[in-house]
């Protein structure tokens, strides 16, 4: 018995109920804005619609299509957070109704077709799509597996190896490639629904992957399929370190290889249920939604007009971003070149300027070399590389920036130098152009003050290498306007970055937190723990590299420079960092830093423990009167991670970060925090805020005031709550540009 949903007619438009094509073809259009998600409520009505078509003798065939510019984004991820309501209709029931019908079904796909949407299509007799369509089973990215028959139908359709690869990658694959794989039957240049109707009128023979057709497609001989499955287990990360869903997915495909269809479906459902409750999936689903929150900016943070006693822009919804049709970059070093490549990759013409010809030539070579490398790797065609090269102008003539809609400066990290650049840009760039700094630490307001357009000044903090790293911190100054911010988020989308808003505070979100993390790593080394051990513990937690290898990668000279900018609060009770820099141990780039590097080991990127550095730490610690301590792996983990969490809580309290999810996105996409652990703030909730707080108090007693717990952390711990459930905004009264008037 399917429960009725009385509000459906209001919620879902007419097209959801199906229209009669001529000669008995019923077109059922998935229409559940914004992404036609197959929620329980929507599936209930879809099920009714499908069953009505099945019961109607005048309907000879059924075509599924999608409204809102896509086929379907899959099952509604929100539904997974609650228990299945009694009598709920799921995508599995819808698919079963399709499967049990003797009438032919055709999926007419135009646009995105993902997850449960593709599983519905897989249950149809035919699948046709427009060339712009993209199809995928991305459940693995949510720590899940395709749970509506995908793991059973796909291997039967295209074979175990190809099916596994498709599902383990979880990408949205262009239709042309999906056709090659054999998932689609036809690519349709014109109207895909029209084509599906005419195909349906031919009443095609059934081509359905179901209980009736239980054998697996032969991309590998049947005998080899178990071998493919066994190999796959070896190729994915271990279960406890981000590979939980992958192993379950492989188990499900093994069931497709070994068991009759109905048994395979049952196994898939059991494995899906296990995953949906797993910590890793909860964490990944948190990140999915956190990512979609990023550009939702509460008006409370916008510039405050103190004379009027109200926000300068009182309606963010109505703010339209400016169009950025071309961009400029100042500074042709590694960072500037990377930013220019990022713009070129997105199809935005860019001018890159430096003061001397030598730097400009070097940048030209770096950028062109990068495009050629991508051609060699098969990621770009010669023509694409040529086009990208053409879209970048290299020059030492600053006047070429005059027409730029946006200029990003990426010069030396020195406030005086940057202020000079901003003053110069203000005089050259058209008045409506935005001026951004790529600083990783410095004061955006001080730069804005060097211009007559502070409302158009902001930070755009890219991460190295800028053309590869997905994170972008958008930094708002006191005067940055809502329109400037809206434009920055639009640019973030164009550049395919995860753009996170930060207040204007030293180090913004990511670096400010990483300084505390590094402080503890350094402290542990000073207390006698080898850098290699600290790194090993953090790698075991899931980071791709530990803190010392990360420092070596970014450069010890850079670390020392930042430490000096930080002043007293900088890391370290000893001068080990200074000494290493004096010895020209600058990190990976000089083949020695905290670790040694050898070209023969891991292409010179593999850190090799160096007793010399351990001795240096011991010697300097003795001089500074730091007693050696024996620490457990757990303490190493706690000190590094809880330092992140406490600083994250301060940043929320100070409204530098807007939401815990924003911080988590920064750490997952900018610093390699293991995604299956959801980011530092999500992880804090998982450990329990009370427990984190208690340890932080112990560290405060043992190590000093740098461990003072934040007021927010204290409040959440005392109330027995979680970060996820506590919003900063309802408790804090904000002042312009990121300050907080009272922490009450
Ligand atoms: C699945 O199918 C399991 C099955 O195997 C069977 C189980 C039994 N659910 O990304 P956007 C929302 S698991 C709920 O900004 P775009 C999103 O939160 C699912 N909500 O748009 C946002 O809401 P808001 C497998 C969803 O155009 C709004 O839609 N499928 C879902 O850049 C717009 O999203 C996936 O993993 C969803 N499935 O990209 C696909 N999808 O406006 C996940 C989106 O309130 N989705 N929303 O912030 C995507 O990849 C992209 O959203 C999509 C659109 C490509 C569809």
């Amino acid at each position: 018995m399917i429960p009725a949903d009385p509000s459906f007619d209001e919620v879902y438009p007419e097209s959801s109920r199906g229209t009669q094509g001529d000669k008995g073809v019923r077109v059922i259009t998935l229409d559940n804005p914004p992404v036609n998600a197959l929620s329980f409520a929507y599936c209930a009505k879809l099920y009714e619609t499908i069953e009505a078509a099945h019961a109607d003798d005048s309907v000879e065939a059924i075509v599924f299509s999608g409204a809102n510019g896509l086929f379907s984004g899959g099952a509604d991820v929100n539904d997974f957070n609650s228990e299945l309501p009694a009598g709920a209709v799921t995508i599995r029931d819808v698919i079963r109704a399709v499967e049990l019908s003797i009438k032919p079904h055709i999926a007419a796909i135009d646009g995105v077709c993902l997850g449960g949407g593709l599983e519905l299509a897989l249950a149809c007799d035919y699948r046709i799509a427009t060339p712009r369509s993209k199809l995928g089973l991305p459940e693995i990215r949510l720590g899940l597996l395709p749970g509506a028959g995908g793991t059973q139908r796909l291997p039967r359709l295209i074979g175990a190896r190809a099916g596994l690869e498709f599902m383990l990658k979880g990408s949205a694959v262009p239709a042309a490639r999906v056709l090659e794989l054999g998932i689609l039957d036809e690519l349709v240049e014109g109207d895909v629904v029209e084509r599906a109707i005419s195909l349906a009128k031919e009443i095609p023979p059934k081509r359905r992957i179901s209980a009736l057709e239980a054998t697996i497609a032969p991309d590998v001989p049947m005998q080899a399929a178990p071998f493919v499955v066994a190999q796959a287990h070896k190729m994915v990360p271990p279960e406890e370190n981000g590979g939980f869903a992958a192993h379950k997915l492989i188990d499900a495909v093994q069931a497709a290889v070994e068991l009759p269809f109905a048994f395979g479906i049952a196994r898939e459902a059991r494995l899906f249920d296990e995953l949906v409750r797993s910590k890793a999936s909860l964490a990944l689903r948190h990140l999915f939604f956190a990512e979609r929150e990023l550009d939702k900016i509460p008006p409370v943070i916008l510039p405050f007009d103190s004379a009027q006693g109200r926000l300068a822009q009182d309606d963010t919804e109505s703010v339209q971003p400016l169009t950025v049709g071309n961009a400029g970059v100042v500074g042709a070093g590694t960072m500037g070149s990377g930013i220019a490549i990022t713009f070129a990759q997105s199809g935005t013409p860019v001018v890159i300027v430096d003061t001397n010809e030598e730097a400009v030539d070097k940048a030209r070579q770096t950028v062109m070399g990068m495009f050629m490398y991508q051609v060699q790797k098969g990621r770009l065609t010669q023509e694409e590389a040529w086009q990208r090269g053409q879209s970048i102008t290299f020059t030492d003539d600053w006047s070429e920036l005059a027409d730029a809609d946006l200029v990003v400066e990426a010069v030396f990290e020195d406030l005086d130098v940057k202020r000079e650049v901003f003053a110069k840009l203000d005089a050259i760039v058209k008045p409506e152009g935005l001026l951004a700094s790529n600083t990783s630490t410095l004061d955006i307001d001080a730069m804005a003050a060097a211009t007559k357009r502070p409302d158009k000044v902001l930070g755009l903090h890219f991460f190295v290498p800028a053309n590869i790293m997905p994170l972008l911190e958008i930094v708002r100054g006191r005067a940055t306007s809502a329109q400037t911010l809206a434009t920055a988020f639009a640019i973030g989308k164009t550049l395919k970055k995860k753009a996170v808003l930060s207040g204007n505070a030293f180090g913004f979100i990511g670096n400010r937190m990483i300084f505390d993390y590094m402080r503890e790593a350094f402290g542990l080394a000073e207390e006698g723990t080898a850098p290699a051990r600290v790194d090993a513990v953090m790698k075991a937690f899931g980071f791709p590299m530990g803190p010392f290898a990360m420092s070596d990668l970014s450069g010890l000279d850079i670390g020392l420079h930042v430490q000096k900018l930080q002043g007293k609060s900088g890391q370290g009770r000893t001068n080990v960092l200074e000494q290493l820099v004096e010895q020209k141990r600058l990190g990976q780039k000089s083949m020695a830093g905290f670790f040694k590097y050898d070209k023969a080991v891991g292409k010179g990127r593999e850190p090799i423990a160096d007793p010399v550095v351990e001795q240096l730490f011991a010697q300097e610690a003795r001089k500074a009167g730091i007693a050696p301590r024996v620490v457990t792996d757990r303490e190493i983990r706690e000190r590094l991670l809880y330092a992140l969490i406490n600083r994250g809580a301060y940043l929320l309290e100070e409204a530098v970060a807007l939401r815990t999810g924003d911080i988590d996105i920064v750490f997952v996409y900018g610093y390699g925090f293991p995604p299956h652990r959801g980011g530092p703030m999500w992880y804090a909730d998982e450990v329990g805020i009370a427990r984190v707080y208690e340890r932080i108090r112990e560290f405060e007693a043992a190590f000093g005031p740098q461990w003072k717990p934040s007021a927010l952390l204290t409040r959440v711990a005392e109330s027995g709550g979680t970060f996820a459930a506590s919003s900063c905004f309802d408790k804090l009264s904000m002042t312009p540009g990121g300050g907080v008037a009272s922490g009450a």
Side-chain angles (χ1 to χ4, degrees):
M1 177 62 190
I2 305 304
D5 178 354
S7 66
F8 185 85
D9 288 343
E10 290 139 36
V11 178
Y12 304 116
E14 188 72 13
S15 54
S16 297
R17 279 175 277 150
T19 53
Q20 188 80 17
D22 52 339
K23 294 229 173 106
V25 180
R26 174 74 49 94
V27 179
I28 298 178
T29 306
L30 308 177
D31 189 352
N32 185 18
V35 298
N36 305 334
L38 300 163
S39 63
F40 296 154
Y42 189 68
C43 281
K45 279 299 173 181
L46 189 58
Y47 183 95
E48 266 181 20
T49 309
I50 293 169
E51 286 297 60
H54 290 163
D56 186 338
D57 288 340
S58 70
V59 176
E60 290 173 38
I62 289 138
V63 168
F64 289 114
S65 72
N68 310 307
L70 77 166
F71 189 77
S72 170
D76 189 324
V77 182
N78 295 295
D79 284 348
F80 301 150
N81 290 341
S82 47
E83 288 294 311
L84 192 67
V89 178
T90 73
I91 175 69
R92 289 181 187 148
D93 301 303
V94 169
I95 288 175
R96 187 145 179 76
V98 169
E99 174 165 284
L100 292 179
S101 161
I102 53 162
K103 298 180 182 180
H105 294 67
I106 299 174
I109 299 161
D110 180 30
V112 166
C113 173
L114 298 175
L118 180 51
E119 290 176 292
L120 172 62
L122 284 171
C124 293
D125 300 270
Y126 281 85
R127 287 159 294 282
I128 61 175
T130 55
R132 77 172 191 105
S133 302
K134 286 191 169 178
L135 295 85
L137 291 170
E139 285 85 346
I140 192 85
R141 296 177 180 215
L142 299 170
L144 300 170
L145 51 74
T151 66
Q152 303 305 300
R153 288 194 173 84
L154 191 65
R156 283 175 165 81
L157 185 64
I158 64 170
R161 182 190 287 157
L164 259 178
E165 200 181 318
F166 190 85
M167 291 185 279
L168 283 172
K169 275 196 184 149
S171 323
V173 182
R177 173 72 190 131
V178 181
L179 179 75
E180 278 170 16
L181 284 170
I183 298 172
L184 284 172
D185 297 291
E186 203 178 300
L187 225 51
V188 181
E189 290 289 345
D191 185 327
V192 71
V193 177
E194 286 302 315
R195 172 65 190 135
I197 291 170
S198 67
L199 197 62
K201 279 193 273 179
E202 294 164 17
I203 310 292
K206 279 170 80 67
R207 238 186 115 258
R208 196 171 292 183
I209 311 297
S210 71
L212 307 171
E213 195 185 330
T215 54
I216 190 155
D219 73 332
V220 285
M222 263 309 275
Q223 316 86 291
F227 175 73
V228 167
V229 165
Q231 281 302 103
H233 277 297
K234 290 187 195 150
M235 288 165 71
V236 298
E239 277 203 8
E240 65 288 356
N241 217 343
F244 191 55
H247 287 282
K248 300 288 169 207
L249 171 52
I250 298 164
D251 289 346
V253 171
Q254 182 175 3
V257 170
E258 291 173 354
L259 302 178
F261 186 81
F263 287 86
I265 287 280
R267 174 78 56 86
E268 176 196 84
R270 189 172 57 68
L271 292 167
F272 182 89
D273 290 348
E274 218 177 302
L275 288 178
V276 96
R277 287 190 297 268
S278 69
K279 281 184 181 175
S281 178
L282 285 165
L284 291 165
R285 275 141 54 194
H286 153 67
L287 290 171
F288 173 81
F289 287 113
E291 201 180 313
R292 278 152 187 86
E293 284 291 297
L294 294 176
D295 61 355
K296 295 183 181 132
I297 305 304
V300 72
I301 64 136
L302 290 170
F304 192 78
D305 184 338
S306 43
Q308 304 241 9
R310 62 173 170 74
L311 292 166
Q313 275 89 9
D314 47 16
D315 185 6
T316 41
E317 297 287 308
S318 64
V319 175
Q320 286 303 313
L322 298 166
T323 306
V324 175
N326 63 81
V329 175
V330 179
T334 312
M335 199 69 209
S337 302
I339 297 171
I341 294 174
T342 311
F343 278 109
Q345 273 171 188
S346 75
T348 311
V350 57
V351 177
I352 177 162
V353 177
D354 209 316
T355 39
N356 65 71
E357 239 172 74
E358 204 182 312
V360 172
D361 277 347
K362 199 164 163 234
R364 188 182 287 116
Q365 278 165 25
T366 310
V367 170
M368 292 308 172
M370 172 63 72
F371 290 148
M372 282 306 113
Y373 174 76
Q374 288 180 340
V375 172
Q376 272 169 22
K377 289 270 158 191
R379 293 183 204 136
L380 282 184
T381 63
Q382 287 277 7
E383 199 192 324
E384 283 164 340
W386 186 82
Q387 274 169 359
R388 284 188 188 175
Q390 289 298 302
S391 67
I392 307 183
T393 306
F394 300 86
T395 180
D396 57 359
D397 178 1
W398 286 57
S399 69
E400 295 216 30
L401 295 172
D403 281 333
D405 295 320
L406 162 74
V407 179
V408 185
E409 72 72 21
V411 301
F412 186 62
E413 191 76 349
D414 177 294
L415 190 56
D416 291 336
V417 176
K418 288 189 188 278
R419 278 173 57 85
E420 249 175 62
V421 169
F422 268 81
K424 192 164 168 183
L425 288 174
D426 195 36
I428 293 171
V429 179
K430 64 184 177 185
E432 62 275 26
L434 303 189
L435 306 182
S437 170
N438 178 56
T439 178
S440 52
T441 49
L442 300 173
D443 183 2
I444 296 296
D445 290 332
M447 294 176 226
T451 73
K452 293 189 194 67
R453 57 178 104 184
D455 57 316
K456 293 191 164 53
V457 174
L458 75 161
L460 285 179
H461 178 212
F462 290 84
F463 287 69
V464 189
N467 51 315
I468 294 182
M469 290 293 283
L471 184 66
L472 175 68
E473 282 180 325
I474 296 176
V475 187
R476 67 194 158 91
R478 290 177 79 85
T480 310
S481 72
Q483 188 176 48
T484 301
L485 290 182
T487 310
F489 276 106
I491 293 162
K493 278 216 167 75
T494 308
L495 301 182
K496 297 201 167 63
K497 301 286 182 198
K498 321 280 177 204
V500 180
L501 188 66
S502 170
N504 179 28
F506 188 81
F508 314 126
I509 298 174
N511 280 346
R512 184 65 193 89
M513 287 171 67
I514 213 72
F515 297 151
D516 289 31
Y517 174 88
M518 285 309 303
R519 178 197 75 211
E520 289 309 306
F522 225 77
L524 283 158
E526 288 167 342
E527 290 155 29
T529 308
R533 179 161 168 232
V534 176
D535 275 24
V537 169
M538 298 322 285
K539 276 183 80 171
F541 180 78
F543 280 91
M545 65 179 79
F548 289 102
M550 188 173 73
S551 284
D552 275 355
L553 186 64
S554 57
L556 268 51
D557 46 342
I558 309 280
L560 184 62
H561 181 67
V562 172
Q563 196 185 89
K564 285 185 178 151
L565 290 174
Q566 257 180 301
K568 274 204 163 143
S569 60
Q571 70 199 17
R573 291 165 280 180
T574 62
N575 66 356
V576 169
L577 189 58
E578 277 100 324
Q579 290 202 38
L580 291 174
V581 172
E582 268 165 31
Q583 292 168 25
K584 299 273 176 280
R585 294 187 68 126
L586 305 181
Q588 242 189 61
K589 59 187 167 191
S590 67
M591 302 301 279
F594 288 114
F595 297 110
K596 287 186 291 193
Y597 297 86
D598 181 336
K599 283 219 159 68
V601 185
K603 295 185 184 156
R605 285 184 221 126
E606 189 64 38
I608 303 163
D610 191 348
V612 171
V613 174
E614 288 162 38
Q615 280 155 19
L616 181 65
F617 268 116
Q619 169 201 310
E620 292 306 312
R622 248 191 325 272
K623 281 193 211 158
I626 302 166
R629 291 178 63 240
V630 175
V631 294
T632 59
D633 286 357
R634 182 178 178 158
E635 178 175 328
I636 295 174
R637 245 187 340 262
E638 287 177 337
R639 277 176 61 183
L640 269 68
L641 296 172
Y642 296 0
L644 283 182
I645 294 164
N646 196 29
R647 182 57 56 192
Y650 272 110
L651 295 183
L652 286 166
E653 207 177 289
E654 293 157 8
V656 172
L658 288 183
R659 289 163 287 241
T660 55
D662 288 19
I663 295 176
D664 290 337
I665 293 286
V666 166
F667 269 80
V668 167
Y669 290 104
Y671 298 86
F673 197 99
H676 65 278
R677 297 193 190 271
M681 307 316 273
W682 179 264
Y683 176 72
D685 277 351
E686 199 188 290
V687 173
I689 301 296
R691 158 86 193 150
V692 172
Y693 175 73
E694 191 188 315
R695 282 300 273 158
I696 286 178
R697 290 301 302 268
E698 285 167 18
F699 293 149
E700 186 186 16
F703 304 113
Q706 70 273 27
W707 275 103
K708 184 177 186 298
S710 90
L712 177 69
L713 184 78
T714 308
R715 195 169 60 226
V716 177
E718 283 170 356
S719 68
T722 59
F723 280 141
S726 52
S727 153
C728 224
F729 287 103
D730 51 2
K731 301 194 180 66
L732 300 173
S733 100
M734 324 276 296
T735 56
V740 175
S742 100

